[in-house]
Amino acid sequence: MQPRHAAFWLLLTQTQSTLANPLQLEKRDLATSPPYYPTPWMDSAADGWEEAYQKARDFVSQLTLLEKVNLTTGVGWESEQCVGNIGSIPRLGLRSLCMHDSPAGVRGADYSSVFPSGQTTAATWSRTLFYNRGFALGEEAKGKGVNVLLGPVAGPLGRMPTAGRNWEGFSPDPVLTGVGIAESTKGIQDAGVVACAKHWVGNEQEHFRIAGEARGYGFDISEALSSNIDDKTMHELYMWPFADAVRAGVGSVMCSYQQVNNSYGCQNSKLMNGLLKDELGFQGFIMSDWQAQHTGVAAAAAGLDMSMPGDTVFNSGRSYWGANLTTAVLNGTVPEWRIDDMAMRIMAAIFKVGQTIEQDPVNFSFWTQATYGPLHWRAKKGYQQINGHVDVRADHGDLIREVAAKGTVLLKNSGVLPLKKPKFVVAVGEDAGPNPLGPNACGDRGCNNGTLALGWGSGTANFPYLVTPDAALQARAIQDGSRYESVLSNYATSQIQNLVSLANVTAIVFVNSDSGENYINVEGNTGDRNNLTLWKNGDDLIKNVASRCPNTIVVIHSPGPVIVTDWYKNPNITAILWAGFPGQESGNSIVDVLYGAVSPGRTPFSWGANRESYGVDVMYTPNNGKGAPQQYFSEGNFIDYRHFDKSNSSLIYEFGHGLSYTTFEYSNLKVEKSNASAYQPTVGVRPAAPTFGNFSRNPSDYLFPSNGTDAIYLYVYPYLNTTDLAKASTDRNYGKKASEFLPPHAIDGSEQPLLRSSGKSAPGGNAQLYDVLYTITADITNTGSVAGDEIPQLYVSLGGPDDPLLVLRGFDRLRIEPGQTSQFKVSLTRRDLSNWDTTIQDWAISSYPKTVHVGRSSRKLDLSAALA
């Protein structure tokens, strides 16, 4: 059977002259994304989804068309209590389901926790902590009535170190991020909440992600930025961690704001239908980012399942779906099987995590912390108790402290750490102390005042408290009998110099750099950082202290690397620590590391000598006139350490680097080959699309109820306002046949051929990709005098001329007592050793010789062996 969809990812090669003159782009230079239709429907036998599918089928079979549309369409911005809600189904007892931020806590709620950022968690290199943090996040969300938690994050992956939202995700390495997003997903969903992996895909900077937002900053562009990514790079880098999330059973994926190869992410059929639903076998639902939907019927055909927040523009009352979707189903431009599949995917995800039709009520309001207020915030209607002030924190503060401490990286140590009852401790810098107006003074953390524990934007939460480094250090000094003082300013130069010049001073300088989401401008930074330097005169502050104090310790809070070139070698700077964004237990966690109670982590990104050394950067100026800015991912797989290795560049601190308070010896590397069978491409067909239940074709059955019910102002409903379908629809394509504005087979529900790279009922792709081909073991001995955590890492050289020198493929965090030996073990799968073959459109292992390397960072590899 011949495939009915485009098989290849199209990307026009850019000439050097075009890239050198970015303002002179021609139409022929623009990347394109091929159509991929029809959208795959759910597989009733998909691994891990069988029971959820059955429950969803039983439920969806009872629904009317209006009720199915209600499941797929948000009710509008500020129309219910959460950041996003879909319509309810009161006839069957299903309340409005709540979609809510964030990947670091329950955004805007009270009596909930602020967890360390994903990036800080990645620095623990601990699967256990990835999972435990996810489970705790899920518990708190569930306790507040949230149904879908908008996280974890693998987009941005971290292509550019200046990108504003890197801290929400994990690492620019796809394997470390893949483990992080998979374990976080399992934790969130085991707690009974649907995880939403975001942002799919190529969402690597904040500038120009939304055209209207960019115009608000003075950029005259008509369309959002296009991330132009080739087929190989998409599979081997940006898509990799999402495959891990799908394999882990993630219930929801959020499509992104920007375009990919000049097609918007939330109507890009290649991304949603082809890669996510067909190749990866994703069984959950795809929701739009907030106002990332740009069309109605075409988005449904391209694979979008849920519109968020439902209105086209915040508080407009207009929707691409709602009544327009009802009309599109009635007139046949959206087939019955498609609306059924949308409803099935949503409800299967709900049932998969153990939720039922009987839901606990949402007990908070994102729009206010007042106890009483309007349920429908924008309409000021439905006055009642909307906040129960339910405390969901449990003992999560202990976990937050542990993750933040184990995610702190000891970059430099001349032997001064761990501290042992120092005689005189001086803390210096604004970043050591509190925000004078309180930790939640700036909405969505949109400022950098006092100690920095989280970036800004929708990925935030409200601090129930914030332990500052100043408070925690003072408490420890009192306990030890140490003298303690602090100067919580970066600019009190003379006072600082006088204090740190005294005898016996251990000076701890706290500095930071901040970033976040584009809708907030903080000190001239519109989401993305303007540079990689420290904020608020941080570099001069460090130099000022180090010029007077021979025992200067530097602590950095930041959303990624900063430039340390001018001062890191100063012999008076005896230790440097990166503490990321640690969350509410910030001060306690840094004290745990400074005093040796907790073993530190490893850096999840590289530290270059200067901004230019990374090879790629945020696009700060449009390059396509008033059209969509064109961002070419021409570096391919070579970002972060892969780039530094390719260019043979020196680094300040390499990927995976981090010091310990003890010493370790690596030995006895062994390679055991398995007897896995040969790879077999997937064959066969997907059966024809099923439908569940019938519905009336009479437009009069879809009018707003005439029983005296009042319409809520700006609320998005599924009801028609007239029986004349042509007048009921605001879709510009109304009246056209689907074949006139949709590609061929876009609404074809007949059986379809399976991709050779897809899995038969195996989410994550062909199941044989995960066959273990080799088992690698090595012994690690603690040769020091204290117990410590070692983080061994396994890298593979794939051997090809176009391959990175090394790629991370395994790691662990091992607690080892003095004199004891632990075994490090990694199972290498077929996927780990494969490249994406753009010709056959499948994974394949090349004939080039392959080598495994085991060590303590990407450039400290103690052991190596060839793979036979």
Side-chain angles (χ1 to χ4, degrees):
M1 178 181 293
Q2 292 297 313
R4 292 180 174 175
H5 41 248
F8 295 95
W9 186 273
L10 303 181
L11 177 62
L12 301 182
T13 301
Q14 308 304 312
T15 64
Q16 289 298 318
S17 60
T18 297
L19 294 178
N21 297 283
L23 296 179
Q24 304 302 317
L25 297 178
E26 300 291 343
K27 184 71 174 177
R28 58 182 172 78
D29 294 318
L30 300 183
T32 60
S33 186
Y36 194 106
Y37 297 96
T39 183
W41 38 92
M42 283 194 76
D43 182 349
S44 62
D47 292 348
W49 288 84
E50 300 93 337
E51 183 179 351
Y53 182 96
Q54 181 64 47
K55 289 180 177 179
R57 186 182 67 180
D58 292 345
F59 182 75
V60 172
S61 296
Q62 303 175 62
L63 300 183
T64 66
L65 174 59
L66 290 173
E67 290 167 337
K68 293 171 187 177
V69 171
N70 242 17
L71 280 179
T72 67
T73 307
V75 297
W77 184 246
E78 298 182 308
S79 287
E80 294 278 358
Q81 290 163 275
C82 302
V83 165
N85 290 79
I86 56 173
S88 61
I89 303 178
R91 181 177 67 89
L92 297 178
L94 182 68
R95 67 158 170 81
S96 172
L97 297 180
C98 168
M99 324 292 151
H100 201 72
D101 298 309
S102 83
V106 184
R107 181 185 176 199
D110 56 9
Y111 300 99
S112 59
S113 302
V114 174
F115 290 79
S117 69
Q119 188 183 64
T120 301
T121 309
T124 69
W125 296 65
S126 169
R127 286 174 170 79
T128 299
L129 292 179
F130 283 137
Y131 176 88
N132 289 348
R133 173 179 174 271
F135 189 82
L137 279 162
E139 282 188 317
E140 296 204 6
K142 184 175 178 63
K144 288 292 187 180
V146 173
N147 301 103
V148 182
L149 181 64
L150 306 180
V153 174
L157 183 67
R159 177 179 182 251
M160 298 91 60
T162 48
R165 298 180 77 177
N166 288 351
W167 58 271
E168 292 186 37
F170 297 98
S171 166
D173 180 82
V175 169
L176 182 53
T177 290
V179 173
I181 197 170
E183 293 300 322
S184 300
T185 292
K186 293 174 187 176
I188 291 167
Q189 298 196 162
D190 283 352
V193 174
V194 178
C196 178
K198 62 182 191 180
H199 306 86
W200 171 260
V201 62
N203 178 49
E204 293 296 316
Q205 70 168 53
E206 290 300 285
H207 279 72
F208 317 127
R209 63 175 190 160
I210 305 171
E213 188 177 67
R215 288 193 293 270
Y217 287 121
F219 297 104
D220 187 12
I221 61 173
S222 59
E223 302 291 344
L225 173 144
S226 177
S227 298
N228 299 327
I229 309 173
D230 67 89
D231 190 17
K232 180 179 174 69
T233 302
M234 177 63 76
H235 281 82
E236 295 183 6
L237 193 60
Y238 297 101
M239 185 175 162
W240 184 290
F242 284 99
D244 289 325
V246 171
R247 185 167 166 81
V250 71
S252 176
V253 170
M254 182 187 293
C255 52
S256 56
Y257 281 121
Q258 92 297 339
Q259 302 185 75
V260 174
N261 296 345
N262 291 290
S263 175
Y264 276 104
C266 292
Q267 63 194 59
N268 188 313
S269 62
K270 177 63 178 183
L271 292 184
M272 295 192 291
N273 290 343
L275 298 184
L276 188 55
K277 289 186 174 180
D278 206 346
E279 186 178 321
L280 294 185
F282 174 56
Q283 299 299 309
F285 65 96
I286 301 175
M287 73 165 71
S288 71
D289 204 338
W290 271 231
Q291 296 183 125
Q293 185 182 12
H294 294 269
T295 186
V297 170
L304 187 66
D305 300 300
M306 181 185 287
S307 169
M308 277 290 128
D311 39 12
T312 57
V313 176
F314 289 164
N315 301 134
S316 68
R318 297 185 297 274
S319 178
Y320 288 112
W321 284 0
N324 280 320
L325 184 56
T326 302
T327 303
V329 176
L330 289 175
N331 68 25
T333 51
V334 170
E336 183 180 353
W337 65 260
R338 177 78 266 260
I339 189 69
D340 283 350
D341 186 59
M342 294 155 75
M344 281 288 295
R345 287 173 173 274
I346 293 165
M347 292 309 302
I350 292 296
F351 291 132
K352 188 178 192 301
V353 300
Q355 294 181 30
T356 62
I357 299 304
E358 297 77 25
Q359 299 273 340
D360 291 333
V362 176
N363 57 50
F364 74 102
S365 173
F366 174 63
W367 318 108
T368 179
Q369 289 193 15
T371 304
Y372 295 93
L375 178 68
H376 308 294
W377 184 255
R378 177 63 177 175
K380 304 303 179 189
K381 193 169 184 179
Y383 190 85
Q384 62 183 59
Q385 182 174 343
I386 55 176
N387 276 308
H389 310 294
V390 177
D391 194 333
V392 296
R393 294 173 295 166
D395 60 353
H396 296 158
D398 294 338
L399 173 64
I400 291 166
R401 180 172 180 169
E402 179 186 9
V403 172
K406 290 182 176 178
T408 296
V409 181
L410 184 56
L411 296 170
K412 176 182 178 178
N413 184 20
S414 63
V416 66
L417 296 180
L419 298 175
K420 295 180 176 63
K421 295 187 177 180
K423 196 165 186 177
F424 185 9
V425 177
V426 173
V428 176
E430 180 182 311
D431 185 66
N435 182 337
L437 300 179
N440 300 314
C442 303
D444 289 340
R445 312 297 74 79
C447 62
N448 182 14
N449 300 326
T451 196
L452 183 60
L454 203 63
W456 74 77
S458 64
T460 62
N462 288 337
F463 288 100
Y465 61 82
L466 176 54
V467 180
T468 66
D470 181 44
L473 283 167
Q474 178 171 270
R476 181 57 187 254
I478 293 171
Q479 175 185 324
D480 288 349
S482 302
R483 180 182 171 188
Y484 181 79
E485 292 190 41
S486 59
V487 180
L488 305 181
S489 169
N490 289 16
Y491 303 100
T493 303
S494 60
Q495 293 92 334
I496 291 170
Q497 288 178 344
N498 291 337
L499 187 59
V500 301
S501 298
L502 298 176
N504 304 311
V505 168
T506 297
I508 308 176
V509 185
F510 288 85
V511 291
N512 68 41
S513 174
D514 202 359
S515 73
E517 196 169 352
N518 196 227
Y519 69 92
I520 298 175
N521 181 315
V522 179
E523 300 183 26
N525 297 264
T526 53
D528 305 311
R529 286 190 281 173
N530 292 338
N531 48 57
L532 292 178
T533 58
L534 292 168
W535 287 29
K536 303 195 177 208
N537 204 40
D539 292 288
D540 288 341
L541 176 66
I542 293 167
K543 294 173 186 177
N544 181 27
V545 174
S547 69
R548 303 298 179 100
C549 180
N551 188 13
T552 300
I553 298 167
V554 177
V555 177
I556 303 166
H557 289 120
S558 71
V562 296
I563 303 304
V564 302
T565 305
D566 289 347
W567 47 263
Y568 81 105
K569 286 186 177 181
N570 186 325
N572 284 354
I573 296 177
T574 53
I576 304 172
L577 299 95
W578 177 75
F581 286 162
Q584 69 192 42
E585 288 282 330
S586 175
N588 288 333
S589 62
I590 197 64
V591 167
D592 287 343
V593 176
L594 289 170
Y595 284 81
V598 173
S599 294
R602 302 291 185 269
T603 179
F605 47 77
S606 302
W607 295 67
N610 52 57
R611 178 178 185 165
E612 293 73 26
S613 66
Y614 289 89
V616 289
D617 205 346
V618 165
M619 177 189 291
Y620 295 94
T621 304
N623 65 348
N624 190 26
K626 293 185 178 182
Q630 301 292 307
Q631 187 171 56
Y632 298 99
F633 288 48
S634 54
E635 74 285 346
N637 281 322
F638 296 95
I639 65 170
D640 200 78
Y641 71 92
R642 301 171 178 210
H643 160 73
F644 285 101
D645 288 346
K646 180 181 181 181
S647 60
N648 196 25
S649 303
S650 60
L651 281 159
I652 305 296
Y653 301 115
E654 73 276 12
F655 176 81
H657 166 76
L659 302 177
S660 174
Y661 293 142
T662 187
T663 56
F664 297 95
E665 181 180 277
Y666 286 60
S667 64
N668 198 26
L669 179 65
K670 293 183 179 179
V671 176
E672 179 183 346
K673 188 175 183 179
S674 72
N675 58 354
S677 59
Y679 180 77
Q680 297 295 324
T682 299
V683 295
V685 297
R686 179 185 301 106
T691 57
F692 304 99
N694 299 311
F695 59 90
S696 166
R697 297 282 179 177
N698 185 350
S700 63
D701 293 333
Y702 298 93
L703 295 174
F704 195 88
S706 57
N707 58 3
T709 302
D710 291 331
I712 298 168
Y713 178 60
L714 297 182
Y715 204 90
V716 177
Y717 292 101
Y719 301 110
L720 307 183
N721 57 9
T722 175
T723 57
D724 185 334
L725 293 183
K727 292 181 179 179
S729 175
T730 58
D731 192 316
R732 65 178 181 273
N733 289 310
Y734 185 82
K736 297 180 182 178
K737 296 180 179 178
S739 59
E740 295 181 66
F741 67 96
L742 292 176
H745 308 292
I747 60 173
D748 184 354
S750 65
E751 66 178 25
Q752 299 294 318
L754 297 172
L755 292 174
R756 59 172 288 152
S757 59
S758 67
K760 273 190 175 178
S761 303
N766 191 313
Q768 293 170 94
L769 288 175
Y770 303 94
D771 288 344
V772 175
L773 302 189
Y774 295 90
T775 300
I776 315 297
T777 58
D779 290 339
I780 302 174
T781 303
N782 185 341
T783 57
S785 59
V786 297
D789 293 359
E790 178 63 340
I791 300 174
Q793 301 155 42
L794 183 146
Y795 296 82
V796 172
S797 298
L798 294 173
D802 299 323
D803 290 320
L805 179 66
L806 299 165
V807 289
L808 180 72
R809 287 297 186 257
F811 61 87
D812 205 350
R813 185 175 184 123
L814 304 173
R815 183 70 174 177
I816 309 176
E817 297 296 320
Q820 297 297 306
T821 298
S822 291
Q823 187 182 74
F824 172 51
K825 183 177 181 180
V826 174
S827 297
L828 284 177
T829 66
R830 181 175 275 110
R831 183 174 74 145
D832 289 330
L833 300 176
S834 296
N835 295 102
W836 179 253
D837 188 316
T838 59
T839 300
I840 66 171
Q841 288 293 287
D842 203 354
W843 294 93
I845 298 177
S846 71
S847 60
Y848 298 108
K850 292 169 177 44
T851 308
V852 294
H853 307 268
V854 173
R856 55 202 83 212
S857 76
S858 64
R859 291 197 172 180
K860 294 184 179 71
L861 299 169
D862 304 65
L863 309 172
S864 63
L867 296 180

